[in-house]
Amino acid sequence: MSAPALEFTAEEERRILRHGPWPPASRPDPSNRVSGKPAAIAFGRALFFDPRLSFSGAVSCATCHPPDRAWTDGLPRSRGPPSLFNLRFNRWFGWDGAQDTLWAQNLRPLLDGREMGVGPSGAARLVRSDRQLSCSYRRAFGVAPGADDAWIFVDLGKALAAFLETQVTGRTPFDDFRDALARNDAAGQARYPAAAVRGLRLFLGRGNCAFCHFGPTFTNGEFADAGVPHFIKPGRVDPGRHGGIRKLRRSPYTLLGRFNDDAQRSTAAKTRYVRLRQSNFGEFRVPGLRNVALTAPYMHAGSLETLADVARHYSTIDEERLHAGGERILRRLDLSAREQVDLVAFLKTLTEKTPLHEYVEKTGNALCR
Amino acid sequence: MARWCFGGPALAAALALVLATGQAVACARPQGWTGGARIVGELWTAWWRSKPAAIPVGAHFSIRFHLCGPPVGRVGVRGWMPDHRHGMNYRPAVTLNGLSGTAEGLMFHMPGRWQLILDVRGAAGREKLTAETVLE
């Protein structure tokens, strides 16, 4: 069923329009000297699927981020592997934001012995000794792999970042509706399902969703306590953003460190000025919602299986559980069953129509010969 | 787009006092400035402007300010969402040179009503100068 002629207040219209246009303009990452370079994208793509970057030789990035499953394996963990869509628009990386660049985020599993754990010396040794990788490195960075393990290691993160930056989602039914509204095209607006319109109104209004899920990516790029349990195991709590900021300040791989290719540090304000507060405890990164219908399970630990579960969660949220430090954003919504269905109908229109396998094909594979 | 107003109830009280006593601090727009806004307090009056001129949601911005009034020892700059009861996720760095200064690293990270607060301290006392805006 399509919507009848839609009447929005001027304020509603402004709120809808700010979630586009899509895709937004983007530019290469100045902290990564190979951002946007085709040879680096091809190198990063090869690295993403290469299990030799793990100490066991059996795990690649794609093991937990399979592209044909929207870049997430769908398995609940204390922190689930997030989908890799639209990373180039992130401000912070990881559920706790412990990394301030995509290239630094790519190094995290390579350093963690519970994940890939190849480490700087293992990664550098592999790149130097393997003819294919060495050739790809030279093409991407313009020089042969040098003697400094740390720099080779960081460069692998930068090549992976160049590849992942290309994974930008396509247009969605919401974008068609939003643009029809922008050009005052009533017929275009009427193609948007009535349930989605009702859900959109909830999202922007009583649901308070758009305070955090703001803008074209449907995230403000910051952190929130969404009222989900963050116990890793009995008696042990995931500190979330609080731990993330502390890790960031200890890390050598940040925009304030020697591996930033941008001498001006033009994107480093967030790292320089970020503030550690007690209320950061239990906060996790607000994810973007594009392609959300493909990226179950939901929340940082994958504790909610479906979008209907998410709508129910916010409808019945336990305010006592929030560590909000006096904040007043999340409130029990008490949505009716019909309203929850409408909210889910809206969320589904944030998912593109492009079949997933096209992502795999778009990535291509260019060997260095 | 942002709509600004200045001072809130505290300013209304201050203005009433000023009107009654005639103690408003005269404060001309700083030389060379175009645009900017003024916050009138009891002890100090501030001119300030942001860069970029229109404060964006979810992006860093800086401000320049100039104060009129008695000597200033310290100025803190912060943002606050009164409806949500939270501030910014970033702590700006303030540089003060006499009665003028800059604050770098501010970010209003969600839409809604925000207050920009200049917390001014000097031998004459302490005063919070507040400007309010709704970011959409």
Side-chain angles (χ1 to χ4, degrees):
Chain A
M1 180 181 169
S2 292
L6 301 175
E7 292 290 337
F8 294 106
T9 65
E11 185 177 353
E12 279 179 324
E13 191 168 321
R14 280 197 304 273
R15 288 182 175 191
I16 294 168
L17 294 180
R18 73 191 181 193
H19 290 94
W22 188 262
S26 58
R27 62 180 187 128
D29 173 2
S31 76
N32 177 0
R33 66 193 184 285
V34 298
S35 173
K37 293 189 174 176
I41 293 168
F43 185 29
R45 196 261 177 205
L47 292 170
F48 189 86
F49 294 96
D50 195 332
R52 292 176 299 170
L53 285 177
S54 62
F55 71 89
S56 66
V59 179
S60 72
C61 305
T63 304
C64 296
H65 297 282
D68 57 342
R69 297 184 62 175
W71 306 102
T72 176
D73 64 10
L75 301 174
R77 299 185 181 90
S78 59
R79 290 187 188 177
S83 178
L84 305 181
F85 291 124
N86 300 327
L87 290 176
R88 70 175 308 143
F89 304 113
N90 278 27
R91 180 179 305 119
W92 298 103
F93 299 84
W95 284 114
D96 59 4
Q99 287 76 35
D100 60 359
T101 61
L102 180 50
W103 52 264
Q105 173 63 20
N106 296 332
L107 302 178
R108 193 199 55 73
L110 303 182
L111 287 163
D112 190 334
R114 295 166 300 177
E115 298 189 41
M116 297 168 76
V118 69
S121 57
R125 192 165 52 245
L126 174 67
V127 173
R128 284 194 204 98
S129 63
D130 182 86
R131 180 186 286 182
Q132 177 69 50
L133 292 178
S134 185
C135 171
S136 296
Y137 181 98
R138 192 173 63 251
R139 279 198 184 168
F141 291 94
V143 293
D148 187 334
D149 288 357
W151 265 107
I152 293 176
F153 181 61
V154 170
D155 284 345
L156 296 188
K158 290 178 177 175
L160 282 162
F163 163 60
L164 292 172
E165 285 168 354
T166 66
Q167 300 307 309
V168 175
T169 54
R171 287 179 58 80
T172 68
F174 169 78
D175 296 316
D176 293 342
F177 165 72
R178 182 257 172 217
D179 290 357
L181 185 67
R183 61 176 185 270
N184 203 21
D185 170 3
Q189 292 174 52
R191 283 192 283 274
Y192 197 54
V197 172
R198 293 192 299 269
L200 170 60
R201 281 195 157 116
L202 277 172
F203 185 88
L204 298 173
R206 184 156 66 92
N208 281 345
C209 313
F211 283 117
C212 295
H213 293 287
F214 174 83
T217 56
F218 287 84
T219 172
N220 65 0
E222 293 290 320
F223 300 82
D225 178 351
V228 292
H230 48 279
F231 283 98
I232 299 169
K233 52 187 176 185
R236 191 163 163 229
V237 169
D238 186 334
R241 180 58 169 156
H242 195 274
I245 294 175
R246 284 164 40 219
K247 281 184 204 163
L248 175 83
R249 288 178 172 168
R250 290 195 302 267
S251 173
Y253 307 113
T254 75
L255 289 167
L256 300 178
R258 69 183 178 113
F259 298 108
N260 184 348
D261 293 329
D262 175 16
Q264 305 302 315
R265 302 289 190 262
S266 61
T267 57
K270 60 187 176 185
T271 315
R272 190 173 292 123
Y273 300 116
V274 70
R275 176 182 168 212
L276 182 67
R277 294 172 301 153
Q278 196 58 32
S279 60
N280 294 134
F281 221 86
E283 289 184 337
F284 295 89
R285 190 170 48 78
V286 176
L289 298 181
R290 288 187 174 269
N291 276 4
V292 70
L294 306 175
T295 58
Y298 303 103
M299 320 310 274
H300 72 276
S303 54
L304 301 177
E305 286 186 21
T306 67
L307 288 174
D309 293 337
V310 175
R312 192 175 310 113
H313 167 74
Y314 285 111
S315 187
T316 59
I317 198 164
D318 181 358
E319 293 177 30
E320 297 296 316
R321 181 174 268 166
L322 298 171
H323 295 81
E327 283 189 8
R328 284 185 173 175
I329 299 178
L330 281 186
R331 279 283 177 268
R332 181 185 165 109
L333 295 177
D334 286 324
L335 300 176
S336 69
R338 161 77 177 271
E339 288 172 324
Q340 291 181 39
V341 169
D342 289 344
L343 190 56
V344 171
F346 162 66
L347 292 172
K348 286 182 174 174
T349 69
L350 303 179
T351 296
E352 63 184 315
K353 291 169 276 188
T354 310
L356 275 181
H357 64 81
E358 291 193 16
Y359 274 101
V360 185
E361 310 214 345
K362 263 197 264 182
T363 59
N365 193 2
L367 292 177
C368 197
R369 299 178 198 282
Chain B
M1 179 180 282
R3 301 188 301 272
W4 286 97
C5 59
F6 304 98
L11 176 60
L15 278 175
L17 178 71
V18 163
L19 289 171
T21 61
Q23 291 176 352
V25 180
C27 193
R29 190 191 306 267
Q31 205 167 17
W33 280 33
T34 54
R38 193 173 61 155
I39 316 173
V40 179
E42 290 182 48
L43 296 171
W44 288 279
T45 292
W47 275 94
W48 70 277
R49 62 179 179 177
S50 64
K51 184 179 178 184
I55 293 178
V57 179
H60 280 98
F61 67 96
S62 61
I63 66 162
R64 291 183 65 188
F65 58 88
H66 178 77
L67 294 156
C68 299
V72 171
R74 189 172 153 195
V75 176
V77 177
R78 62 192 181 96
W80 180 250
M81 283 196 99
D83 301 333
H84 299 172
R85 294 187 181 178
H86 66 71
M88 297 187 297
N89 292 338
Y90 302 86
R91 175 172 286 127
V94 179
T95 306
L96 190 61
N97 182 13
L99 288 169
S100 297
T102 59
E104 305 274 347
L106 296 106
M107 185 195 288
F108 292 168
H109 61 274
M110 55 177 65
R113 187 160 67 102
W114 281 92
Q115 292 175 337
L116 177 73
I117 301 167
L118 274 62
D119 185 0
V120 187
R121 301 181 201 203
R126 177 179 182 179
E127 184 167 45
K128 291 182 184 176
L129 302 172
T130 303
E132 194 165 285
T133 185
V134 177
L135 295 186
E136 292 179 342

mmCIF file of all heavy atoms in Angstrom, chain A residues 46-65 73 77 109-110 112-118 126:
data_model
loop_
_atom_site.group_PDB
_atom_site.id
_atom_site.type_symbol
_atom_site.label_atom_id
_atom_site.label_comp_id
_atom_site.label_asym_id
_atom_site.label_seq_id
_atom_site.Cartn_x
_atom_site.Cartn_y
_atom_site.Cartn_z
ATOM 1 N N ALA A 46 43.474 -7.984 -1.571
ATOM 2 C CA ALA A 46 44.170 -9.271 -1.459
ATOM 3 C C ALA A 46 44.505 -9.592 -0.003
ATOM 4 O O ALA A 46 44.350 -10.731 0.448
ATOM 5 C CB ALA A 46 45.447 -9.235 -2.302
ATOM 6 N N LEU A 47 44.951 -8.576 0.736
ATOM 7 C CA LEU A 47 45.282 -8.791 2.150
ATOM 8 C C LEU A 47 44.059 -9.207 2.954
ATOM 9 O O LEU A 47 44.148 -10.028 3.867
ATOM 10 C CB LEU A 47 45.869 -7.501 2.749
ATOM 11 C CG LEU A 47 47.234 -7.071 2.229
ATOM 12 C CD1 LEU A 47 47.563 -5.655 2.729
ATOM 13 C CD2 LEU A 47 48.318 -8.057 2.657
ATOM 14 N N PHE A 48 42.910 -8.629 2.622
ATOM 15 C CA PHE A 48 41.696 -8.887 3.383
ATOM 16 C C PHE A 48 41.344 -10.388 3.379
ATOM 17 O O PHE A 48 40.835 -10.914 4.367
ATOM 18 C CB PHE A 48 40.531 -8.077 2.792
ATOM 19 C CG PHE A 48 39.284 -8.104 3.625
ATOM 20 C CD1 PHE A 48 39.104 -7.197 4.660
ATOM 21 C CD2 PHE A 48 38.291 -9.042 3.391
ATOM 22 C CE1 PHE A 48 37.959 -7.227 5.444
ATOM 23 C CE2 PHE A 48 37.137 -9.070 4.170
ATOM 24 C CZ PHE A 48 36.975 -8.161 5.197
ATOM 25 N N PHE A 49 41.641 -11.030 2.274
ATOM 26 C CA PHE A 49 41.273 -12.450 2.154
ATOM 27 C C PHE A 49 42.459 -13.383 2.406
ATOM 28 O O PHE A 49 42.354 -14.587 2.181
ATOM 29 C CB PHE A 49 40.681 -12.706 0.757
ATOM 30 C CG PHE A 49 39.372 -12.002 0.536
ATOM 31 C CD1 PHE A 49 39.319 -10.772 -0.095
ATOM 32 C CD2 PHE A 49 38.184 -12.550 1.006
ATOM 33 C CE1 PHE A 49 38.108 -10.106 -0.276
ATOM 34 C CE2 PHE A 49 36.970 -11.894 0.824
ATOM 35 C CZ PHE A 49 36.934 -10.667 0.180
ATOM 36 N N ASP A 50 43.587 -12.858 2.869
ATOM 37 C CA ASP A 50 44.808 -13.659 3.005
ATOM 38 C C ASP A 50 44.966 -14.198 4.431
ATOM 39 O O ASP A 50 45.255 -13.440 5.358
ATOM 40 C CB ASP A 50 46.023 -12.788 2.641
ATOM 41 C CG ASP A 50 47.273 -13.627 2.409
ATOM 42 O OD1 ASP A 50 47.370 -14.727 3.017
ATOM 43 O OD2 ASP A 50 48.129 -13.185 1.636
ATOM 44 N N PRO A 51 44.809 -15.505 4.650
ATOM 45 C CA PRO A 51 44.905 -16.058 6.010
ATOM 46 C C PRO A 51 46.330 -16.065 6.553
ATOM 47 O O PRO A 51 46.532 -16.297 7.750
ATOM 48 C CB PRO A 51 44.358 -17.484 5.846
ATOM 49 C CG PRO A 51 44.584 -17.820 4.412
ATOM 50 C CD PRO A 51 44.482 -16.532 3.648
ATOM 51 N N ARG A 52 47.306 -15.799 5.714
ATOM 52 C CA ARG A 52 48.680 -15.773 6.226
ATOM 53 C C ARG A 52 48.918 -14.594 7.163
ATOM 54 O O ARG A 52 49.941 -14.529 7.837
ATOM 55 C CB ARG A 52 49.670 -15.730 5.061
ATOM 56 C CG ARG A 52 49.695 -17.019 4.247
ATOM 57 C CD ARG A 52 50.610 -16.894 3.051
ATOM 58 N NE ARG A 52 50.154 -15.826 2.148
ATOM 59 C CZ ARG A 52 50.859 -15.365 1.123
ATOM 60 N NH1 ARG A 52 52.065 -15.865 0.869
ATOM 61 N NH2 ARG A 52 50.369 -14.415 0.350
ATOM 62 N N LEU A 53 47.984 -13.667 7.215
ATOM 63 C CA LEU A 53 48.108 -12.558 8.163
ATOM 64 C C LEU A 53 47.672 -12.959 9.571
ATOM 65 O O LEU A 53 47.558 -12.102 10.454
ATOM 66 C CB LEU A 53 47.287 -11.345 7.694
ATOM 67 C CG LEU A 53 47.910 -10.560 6.537
ATOM 68 C CD1 LEU A 53 46.984 -9.440 6.103
ATOM 69 C CD2 LEU A 53 49.258 -9.988 6.937
ATOM 70 N N SER A 54 47.424 -14.255 9.780
ATOM 71 C CA SER A 54 47.145 -14.734 11.140
ATOM 72 C C SER A 54 48.279 -15.654 11.577
ATOM 73 O O SER A 54 48.922 -16.300 10.744
ATOM 74 C CB SER A 54 45.820 -15.492 11.179
ATOM 75 O OG SER A 54 45.867 -16.641 10.354
ATOM 76 N N PHE A 55 48.509 -15.716 12.881
ATOM 77 C CA PHE A 55 49.610 -16.565 13.363
ATOM 78 C C PHE A 55 49.329 -18.035 13.084
ATOM 79 O O PHE A 55 50.242 -18.831 12.905
ATOM 80 C CB PHE A 55 49.877 -16.315 14.851
ATOM 81 C CG PHE A 55 48.819 -16.833 15.778
ATOM 82 C CD1 PHE A 55 48.891 -18.125 16.265
ATOM 83 C CD2 PHE A 55 47.750 -16.045 16.147
ATOM 84 C CE1 PHE A 55 47.913 -18.615 17.119
ATOM 85 C CE2 PHE A 55 46.764 -16.522 16.990
ATOM 86 C CZ PHE A 55 46.836 -17.812 17.471
ATOM 87 N N SER A 56 48.035 -18.390 12.990
ATOM 88 C CA SER A 56 47.698 -19.795 12.707
ATOM 89 C C SER A 56 47.737 -20.091 11.213
ATOM 90 O O SER A 56 47.763 -21.255 10.819
ATOM 91 C CB SER A 56 46.291 -20.093 13.231
ATOM 92 O OG SER A 56 45.331 -19.349 12.484
ATOM 93 N N GLY A 57 47.720 -19.072 10.408
ATOM 94 C CA GLY A 57 47.664 -19.263 8.959
ATOM 95 C C GLY A 57 46.292 -19.693 8.467
ATOM 96 O O GLY A 57 46.129 -20.062 7.300
ATOM 97 N N ALA A 58 45.291 -19.617 9.337
ATOM 98 C CA ALA A 58 43.971 -20.135 8.970
ATOM 99 C C ALA A 58 42.869 -19.079 9.017
ATOM 100 O O ALA A 58 41.754 -19.346 8.600
ATOM 101 C CB ALA A 58 43.602 -21.293 9.903
ATOM 102 N N VAL A 59 43.184 -17.893 9.518
ATOM 103 C CA VAL A 59 42.135 -16.883 9.724
ATOM 104 C C VAL A 59 42.470 -15.622 8.922
ATOM 105 O O VAL A 59 43.583 -15.102 9.022
ATOM 106 C CB VAL A 59 42.021 -16.514 11.220
ATOM 107 C CG1 VAL A 59 40.959 -15.447 11.429
ATOM 108 C CG2 VAL A 59 41.701 -17.754 12.055
ATOM 109 N N SER A 60 41.528 -15.177 8.128
ATOM 110 C CA SER A 60 41.705 -13.904 7.422
ATOM 111 C C SER A 60 40.685 -12.907 7.950
ATOM 112 O O SER A 60 39.791 -13.270 8.732
ATOM 113 C CB SER A 60 41.507 -14.094 5.917
ATOM 114 O OG SER A 60 40.140 -14.303 5.630
ATOM 115 N N CYS A 61 40.795 -11.667 7.503
ATOM 116 C CA CYS A 61 39.783 -10.663 7.889
ATOM 117 C C CYS A 61 38.394 -11.147 7.490
ATOM 118 O O CYS A 61 37.404 -10.946 8.216
ATOM 119 C CB CYS A 61 40.062 -9.328 7.195
ATOM 120 S SG CYS A 61 41.706 -8.646 7.452
ATOM 121 N N ALA A 62 38.342 -11.821 6.312
ATOM 122 C CA ALA A 62 37.042 -12.254 5.776
ATOM 123 C C ALA A 62 36.419 -13.382 6.588
ATOM 124 O O ALA A 62 35.230 -13.664 6.428
ATOM 125 C CB ALA A 62 37.206 -12.690 4.321
ATOM 126 N N THR A 63 37.190 -13.999 7.478
ATOM 127 C CA THR A 63 36.614 -15.068 8.301
ATOM 128 C C THR A 63 35.488 -14.522 9.175
ATOM 129 O O THR A 63 34.428 -15.135 9.289
ATOM 130 C CB THR A 63 37.705 -15.699 9.190
ATOM 131 O OG1 THR A 63 38.770 -16.167 8.358
ATOM 132 C CG2 THR A 63 37.146 -16.850 10.013
ATOM 133 N N CYS A 64 35.748 -13.381 9.804
ATOM 134 C CA CYS A 64 34.714 -12.766 10.652
ATOM 135 C C CYS A 64 33.889 -11.727 9.903
ATOM 136 O O CYS A 64 32.837 -11.308 10.395
ATOM 137 C CB CYS A 64 35.342 -12.112 11.881
ATOM 138 S SG CYS A 64 36.144 -13.310 12.974
ATOM 139 N N HIS A 65 34.393 -11.280 8.758
ATOM 140 C CA HIS A 65 33.694 -10.249 7.974
ATOM 141 C C HIS A 65 33.455 -10.768 6.554
ATOM 142 O O HIS A 65 33.987 -10.200 5.595
ATOM 143 C CB HIS A 65 34.515 -8.964 7.931
ATOM 144 C CG HIS A 65 34.737 -8.327 9.270
ATOM 145 N ND1 HIS A 65 33.786 -7.586 9.911
ATOM 146 C CD2 HIS A 65 35.821 -8.336 10.091
ATOM 147 C CE1 HIS A 65 34.261 -7.140 11.072
ATOM 148 N NE2 HIS A 65 35.493 -7.590 11.204
ATOM 149 N N ASP A 73 29.834 -11.953 10.456
ATOM 150 C CA ASP A 73 29.530 -13.387 10.499
ATOM 151 C C ASP A 73 28.248 -13.695 11.255
ATOM 152 O O ASP A 73 27.799 -14.846 11.298
ATOM 153 C CB ASP A 73 30.702 -14.189 11.079
ATOM 154 C CG ASP A 73 31.015 -13.851 12.531
ATOM 155 O OD1 ASP A 73 30.215 -13.133 13.159
ATOM 156 O OD2 ASP A 73 32.063 -14.308 13.029
ATOM 157 N N ARG A 77 28.914 -12.307 20.214
ATOM 158 C CA ARG A 77 30.104 -12.409 21.066
ATOM 159 C C ARG A 77 30.024 -11.273 22.065
ATOM 160 O O ARG A 77 29.102 -10.465 22.018
ATOM 161 C CB ARG A 77 31.378 -12.243 20.238
ATOM 162 C CG ARG A 77 31.582 -13.284 19.146
ATOM 163 C CD ARG A 77 32.954 -13.042 18.505
ATOM 164 N NE ARG A 77 33.229 -13.979 17.427
ATOM 165 C CZ ARG A 77 32.925 -13.778 16.166
ATOM 166 N NH1 ARG A 77 32.305 -12.661 15.823
ATOM 167 N NH2 ARG A 77 33.215 -14.671 15.239
ATOM 168 N N PRO A 109 43.098 -6.351 15.015
ATOM 169 C CA PRO A 109 43.050 -7.824 15.023
ATOM 170 C C PRO A 109 44.388 -8.458 14.668
ATOM 171 O O PRO A 109 44.670 -9.587 15.079
ATOM 172 C CB PRO A 109 41.979 -8.159 13.975
ATOM 173 C CG PRO A 109 41.836 -6.930 13.153
ATOM 174 C CD PRO A 109 42.196 -5.771 14.009
ATOM 175 N N LEU A 110 45.225 -7.735 13.938
ATOM 176 C CA LEU A 110 46.547 -8.283 13.598
ATOM 177 C C LEU A 110 47.461 -8.305 14.820
ATOM 178 O O LEU A 110 48.431 -9.059 14.871
ATOM 179 C CB LEU A 110 47.203 -7.458 12.479
ATOM 180 C CG LEU A 110 46.426 -7.325 11.166
ATOM 181 C CD1 LEU A 110 47.236 -6.524 10.148
ATOM 182 C CD2 LEU A 110 46.078 -8.688 10.596
ATOM 183 N N ASP A 112 46.111 -8.687 18.023
ATOM 184 C CA ASP A 112 45.427 -9.412 19.092
ATOM 185 C C ASP A 112 45.572 -10.925 18.886
ATOM 186 O O ASP A 112 45.069 -11.473 17.899
ATOM 187 C CB ASP A 112 43.944 -9.011 19.092
ATOM 188 C CG ASP A 112 43.201 -9.525 20.321
ATOM 189 O OD1 ASP A 112 43.637 -10.555 20.901
ATOM 190 O OD2 ASP A 112 42.206 -8.898 20.705
ATOM 191 N N GLY A 113 46.254 -11.562 19.838
ATOM 192 C CA GLY A 113 46.498 -13.001 19.733
ATOM 193 C C GLY A 113 45.226 -13.833 19.753
ATOM 194 O O GLY A 113 45.224 -14.990 19.348
ATOM 195 N N ARG A 114 44.108 -13.260 20.226
ATOM 196 C CA ARG A 114 42.845 -14.000 20.202
ATOM 197 C C ARG A 114 42.202 -13.941 18.828
ATOM 198 O O ARG A 114 41.224 -14.635 18.553
ATOM 199 C CB ARG A 114 41.875 -13.420 21.230
ATOM 200 C CG ARG A 114 42.339 -13.575 22.666
ATOM 201 C CD ARG A 114 41.530 -12.695 23.578
ATOM 202 N NE ARG A 114 41.674 -11.281 23.195
ATOM 203 C CZ ARG A 114 41.035 -10.278 23.779
ATOM 204 N NH1 ARG A 114 40.200 -10.522 24.773
ATOM 205 N NH2 ARG A 114 41.237 -9.039 23.383
ATOM 206 N N GLU A 115 42.728 -13.086 17.964
ATOM 207 C CA GLU A 115 42.150 -12.958 16.620
ATOM 208 C C GLU A 115 43.177 -13.420 15.591
ATOM 209 O O GLU A 115 43.456 -14.586 15.496
ATOM 210 C CB GLU A 115 41.651 -11.534 16.398
ATOM 211 C CG GLU A 115 40.534 -11.189 17.397
ATOM 212 C CD GLU A 115 39.845 -9.880 17.084
ATOM 213 O OE1 GLU A 115 39.588 -9.603 15.901
ATOM 214 O OE2 GLU A 115 39.561 -9.132 18.030
ATOM 215 N N MET A 116 43.809 -12.500 14.873
ATOM 216 C CA MET A 116 44.777 -12.920 13.857
ATOM 217 C C MET A 116 46.201 -12.943 14.425
ATOM 218 O O MET A 116 46.956 -13.867 14.192
ATOM 219 C CB MET A 116 44.652 -12.019 12.637
ATOM 220 C CG MET A 116 43.266 -12.151 11.991
ATOM 221 S SD MET A 116 42.906 -10.890 10.770
ATOM 222 C CE MET A 116 43.885 -11.475 9.403
ATOM 223 N N GLY A 117 46.557 -11.890 15.133
ATOM 224 C CA GLY A 117 47.753 -11.902 15.959
ATOM 225 C C GLY A 117 49.084 -12.078 15.243
ATOM 226 O O GLY A 117 50.055 -12.505 15.864
ATOM 227 N N VAL A 118 49.155 -11.727 13.967
ATOM 228 C CA VAL A 118 50.427 -11.927 13.264
ATOM 229 C C VAL A 118 51.507 -10.971 13.780
ATOM 230 O O VAL A 118 52.694 -11.314 13.785
ATOM 231 C CB VAL A 118 50.225 -11.786 11.739
ATOM 232 C CG1 VAL A 118 49.902 -10.346 11.359
ATOM 233 C CG2 VAL A 118 51.438 -12.267 10.963
ATOM 234 N N LEU A 126 56.485 -11.619 6.293
ATOM 235 C CA LEU A 126 55.665 -12.194 5.222
ATOM 236 C C LEU A 126 55.728 -11.331 3.964
ATOM 237 O O LEU A 126 55.918 -11.839 2.850
ATOM 238 C CB LEU A 126 54.213 -12.324 5.708
ATOM 239 C CG LEU A 126 53.194 -12.781 4.663
ATOM 240 C CD1 LEU A 126 53.460 -14.231 4.241
ATOM 241 C CD2 LEU A 126 51.760 -12.648 5.217
#
